[in-house]
Amino acid sequence: MATLPIIHATRDIDASRFLHVEQVDLEFSNGERRTYERLKEYGTGAVIIVPMIDAKTVLLIREYSVGVHRYELGLPKGKLDADETAERGASREMREEVGYDARTFTRLRTLCLSPAYMTHKTHVVLAQELYPARLPGDEPEKLEVVPWKLSLLHELIEREEVSEGRSIATLFMAREYLAGRWKGA
């Protein structure tokens, strides 16, 4: 395994409400020095939830995505609040986005969005034994909740409105975990 580069310095170069860019001065094991830029994470990360309304059906949401300027169909997700665990964040986000909470939460693993230049991590949580519960959300409009059979995942990923990589990866992980083919993290 390669030796990790030494970080000699980091400095902020830009920030906005969502993005925080820093430069990282590195020295590799062969003596080569480079400066990289990366997007730093605000807070404690995010959570993406697989809310199973029954043993075979997941609840998806359709919401506007400004990055691609269209409505995307995917899983409920959101930024974790300060000092919030992945399970508590999953509970809050589910109440806000799908109108349910769960009696059982299982953390499956943590995903990196783009580890080459981002520090952001998303915790993947499976939610089971759902019951109705609602909190007001911060979305500008009501989200459409769409039930989807996990057995029809191949049909879901053919849809143009399904392109968010975390949702796709998370759905496959959940399907494999629920089928007993993968044990999770």
Side-chain angles (χ1 to χ4, degrees):
M1 176 174 265
T3 303
L4 290 173
I6 297 166
I7 297 176
H8 288 289
T10 63
R11 64 196 152 278
D12 295 340
I13 60 171
D14 202 3
S16 75
R17 195 170 73 139
F18 293 107
L19 301 175
H20 179 184
V21 181
E22 76 175 354
Q23 287 184 329
V24 182
D25 296 330
L26 300 167
E27 182 179 344
F28 290 83
S29 59
N30 63 359
E32 186 72 25
R33 288 179 172 241
R34 296 282 166 87
T35 298
Y36 281 52
E37 291 181 357
R38 67 181 177 194
L39 296 176
K40 276 187 69 174
E41 180 174 40
Y42 280 115
T44 55
V47 65
I48 188 166
I49 309 108
V50 184
M52 298 299 297
I53 193 69
D54 61 40
K56 297 179 180 186
T57 311
V58 62
L59 296 178
L60 304 173
I61 57 169
R62 183 175 284 116
E63 70 179 319
Y64 177 72
S65 297
V66 70
V68 290
H69 190 53
R70 69 169 180 240
Y71 283 86
E72 276 280 315
L73 186 59
L75 292 169
K77 60 194 150 305
K79 182 177 166 272
L80 291 174
D81 291 338
D83 299 324
E84 190 174 49
T85 65
E87 293 81 3
R88 287 189 65 187
S91 172
R92 177 183 48 76
E93 288 293 339
M94 281 181 41
R95 287 172 181 240
E96 291 174 0
E97 295 186 2
V98 296
Y100 285 89
D101 201 347
R103 290 183 178 82
T104 305
F105 292 98
T106 306
R107 222 190 280 205
L108 296 181
R109 73 168 299 159
T110 301
L111 295 175
C112 296
L113 292 178
S114 186
Y117 65 91
M118 295 178 78
T119 63
H120 183 77
K121 292 184 177 74
T122 301
H123 306 284
V124 176
V125 178
L126 175 67
Q128 296 172 290
E129 300 177 60
L130 304 188
Y131 60 92
R134 180 156 299 281
L135 284 174
D138 58 359
E139 289 78 16
E141 61 187 0
K142 185 175 179 179
L143 301 179
E144 180 184 357
V145 178
V146 178
W148 197 274
K149 298 289 183 194
L150 278 181
S151 62
L152 299 177
L153 208 44
H154 60 288
E155 291 179 15
L156 182 68
I157 62 173
E158 290 177 357
R159 298 172 69 120
E160 188 174 328
E161 66 181 335
V162 179
S163 69
E164 205 258 327
R166 289 179 300 174
S167 286
I168 294 168
T170 296
L171 286 165
F172 276 98
M173 285 188 284
R175 185 185 71 180
E176 297 306 293
Y177 177 84
L178 291 168
R181 294 185 291 259
W182 179 62
K183 295 181 182 177

